[in-house]
Amino acid sequence: MAEWRLWAPCKRVMPLPAWEGWPAAQLLHTELPDGQVLWLLACPALYPSSGTPYGDPAAPDLHAQALRFGFLSRVAAWLATADNTTGWHADVLHANDWPAGLAPLYLRQLRDAPGAPPAAKSVVTLHNLAFQGIFPMHLADMLQVAPIHRGIEGVEYWGQLSMLKAALQFADAITTVSPTYAAEIQQPALGAGLDGVLRVRAASLHGILNGIDTGVWNPASDPLIAMNYDSTTLAHKAANTRALRARTGLVPSTAPLFGFVGRLTTQKGIDWILASAPRWLATGAQLVVLGRGDAALEHALLDLAQAHPGSVHATLGFDETLAHLIEAGADCFLMPSRFEPCGLNQMYSMAYGTSAGGHTHRRTGRHRRRRGGTAWSVARASSWKPPARKALTPPWTVCFAPGASQNSGRVSSSAAWPVISAGATRPGSTARSIQRWQTTRPGER
């Protein structure tokens, strides 16, 4: 076990012998500093210490990947039954997206067995319906999917096995990241081929507006940025812009600095950024990109950076410190997604006083207002023109109010600093965000 490094002491190691065709493994019982108990599944044969859980995207091993996530789901379902041997069992089994999609199915199969002990209820949360965990149907035997559940009313999806569809069919409840997205995925346009299943399960489908952790994403206390600031010291944001340019090798400039953090995929509109970039880079604008994704888009971004030294920087990978510095130092955060269930980055941008710009006319979790709002929009790359510099460099047109509830939009007086809220906090908490209310010039409103 020398390869496994835990960030908290391991209080108990419970061996899991090989059973029912599943490999031998271990459950590691540990506790975080805040008291949360974690059960970690250790199986070096399935979960190597290097690489990612998804394997090599250039040469995926579907058999190994299906077994890896199937085993995780099977152990989770076992922990949700009263007769597991740990001395503890879950009251609710919460599966997130397709990697845990078989867990509600396994739990249903355990509950339906003759003489089955009491078991938990299950809920699946959808963050992005486009990712469905599709595998060949012949793997159903290895994954121990009961034959009765292999048809269209079960896991079958166009002749293949969909782990996400398994969750949608067998979870007791379904949640997703906003009420708007919950409605959208029941229609063909954004239903990703599963809209029919979701319409059938509509009574069990609930949209809960996403939010950010303002204890982590707060420019007033963020230890990862160059200089802290809030709505009363917004000028300190410029120190973070200088630090971002210095770290990424961009030349000093007063031109707008654009940032992007996220997956490098066409869903995120990276191809639109690439198509439009030469036009606005020619005006003096700069770009910093942090992310990982499609190899062709990664190479195109590196080529763009090579063609524009001192103006474009791309880091392939993920870097928590750089992600925070981009949010704090960029003048505008680019998010031209083709669709966005309820992206968090524009919420981070609101908290850091960074204008969020993108293609979509849909606001996070709600429809975008016709005037004002938290973002400027790009109709399409071919007709895009860079906003006026006055709209993106000081003095900005910024409007602050005493705080607002994310659910009602009503102004309250309990906020610690002036904000305009648009759903940047968890339900029931007070919004703490800095928002550029208008990114157009006053004469254009």
Side-chain angles (χ1 to χ4, degrees):
M1 295 297 294
E3 294 180 338
W4 295 87
R5 298 175 182 175
L6 301 180
W7 60 89
C10 184
K11 294 189 172 183
R12 177 184 173 194
V13 177
M14 179 178 176
L16 294 178
W19 96 104
E20 297 180 359
W22 299 107
Q26 292 175 313
L27 276 177
L28 311 181
H29 177 275
T30 188
E31 187 173 311
L32 297 180
D34 62 3
Q36 293 185 67
V37 173
L38 298 180
W39 287 96
L40 305 179
L41 178 60
C43 183
L46 291 182
Y47 312 118
S49 58
S50 61
T52 76
Y54 306 99
D56 182 359
D61 184 341
L62 295 180
H63 182 280
Q65 194 175 110
L67 183 61
R68 186 176 298 132
F69 292 109
F71 187 45
L72 174 69
S73 296
R74 182 61 182 83
V75 173
W78 177 70
L79 287 170
T81 60
D83 66 344
N84 78 69
T85 57
T86 65
W88 171 89
H89 68 87
D91 295 315
V92 176
L93 171 60
H94 185 190
N96 283 275
D97 302 308
W98 76 261
L102 289 181
L105 166 63
Y106 290 142
L107 187 59
R108 176 69 64 87
Q109 291 182 170
L110 291 171
R111 289 197 315 221
D112 290 347
K121 296 292 186 180
S122 63
V123 57
V124 60
T125 294
L126 308 175
H127 296 89
N128 192 329
L129 196 64
F131 300 96
Q132 302 181 1
I134 305 294
F135 296 91
M137 183 59 78
H138 68 77
L139 296 179
D141 287 336
M142 178 194 72
L143 294 170
Q144 300 180 18
V145 176
I148 194 175
H149 297 319
R150 298 183 191 181
I152 195 170
E153 301 299 326
V155 303
E156 190 272 336
Y157 182 80
W158 294 95
Q160 300 194 82
L161 184 155
S162 168
M163 291 188 177
L164 184 63
K165 188 182 178 190
L168 300 183
Q169 294 281 36
F170 297 105
D172 295 295
I174 304 168
T175 65
T176 191
V177 292
S178 76
T180 299
Y181 191 57
E184 289 174 338
I185 59 178
Q186 296 180 60
Q187 305 302 320
L190 290 180
L194 294 172
D195 50 289
V197 177
L198 290 162
R199 287 194 296 274
V200 171
R201 299 290 324 267
S204 302
L205 174 60
H206 310 277
I208 302 173
L209 192 60
N210 213 342
I212 66 174
D213 186 343
T214 53
V216 175
W217 293 94
N218 184 344
S221 57
D222 190 340
L224 301 181
I225 64 177
M227 181 176 288
N228 294 122
Y229 60 96
D230 59 20
S231 62
T232 66
T233 57
L234 195 57
H236 293 172
K237 191 178 191 303
N240 294 287
T241 305
R242 291 192 294 271
L244 178 58
R245 285 191 167 104
R247 171 165 175 174
T248 57
L250 302 186
V251 298
S253 174
T254 58
L257 175 55
F258 294 84
F260 175 89
V261 180
R263 290 182 295 107
L264 305 181
T265 65
T266 54
Q267 182 227 317
K268 294 292 185 180
I270 303 302
D271 53 327
W272 286 336
I273 293 177
L274 289 165
S276 62
R279 297 183 61 183
W280 42 270
L281 289 172
T283 71
Q286 297 174 318
L287 172 66
V288 174
V289 174
L290 170 64
R292 193 99 210 185
D294 296 346
L297 295 174
E298 291 181 353
H299 292 314
L301 282 167
L302 293 177
D303 290 343
L304 184 70
Q306 187 174 19
H308 298 273
S311 295
V312 178
H313 172 88
T315 291
L316 302 183
F318 186 75
D319 183 316
E320 183 77 8
T321 300
L322 182 55
H324 282 245
L325 188 57
I326 289 173
E327 289 289 3
D331 293 307
C332 177
F333 188 90
L334 293 178
M335 201 165 184
S337 304
R338 283 173 165 80
F339 66 92
E340 196 63 56
C342 192
L344 295 176
N345 280 106
Q346 69 266 40
M347 299 185 190
Y348 301 150
S349 298
M350 289 165 55
Y352 284 70
T354 302
S355 175
H359 168 269
T360 180
H361 289 271
R362 174 187 178 279
R363 294 180 65 205
T364 296
R366 304 173 191 170
H367 289 291
R368 189 175 183 275
R369 278 192 285 265
R370 291 181 180 273
R371 298 181 61 183
T374 63
W376 50 270
S377 302
V378 179
R380 60 186 184 194
S382 61
S383 62
W384 189 84
K385 294 181 180 179
R389 277 182 57 183
K390 289 184 179 179
L392 295 171
T393 54
W396 294 295
T397 304
V398 183
C399 175
F400 297 105
S405 161
Q406 68 158 17
N407 294 319
S408 67
R410 293 188 295 269
V411 172
S412 68
S413 59
S414 58
W417 58 359
V419 307
I420 295 284
S421 172
T425 60
R426 293 176 175 173
S429 66
T430 302
R432 296 173 182 271
S433 61
I434 304 174
Q435 177 186 3
R436 290 183 187 155
W437 183 243
Q438 278 284 7
T439 56
T440 55
R441 290 171 291 183
E444 297 177 339
R445 292 180 187 171

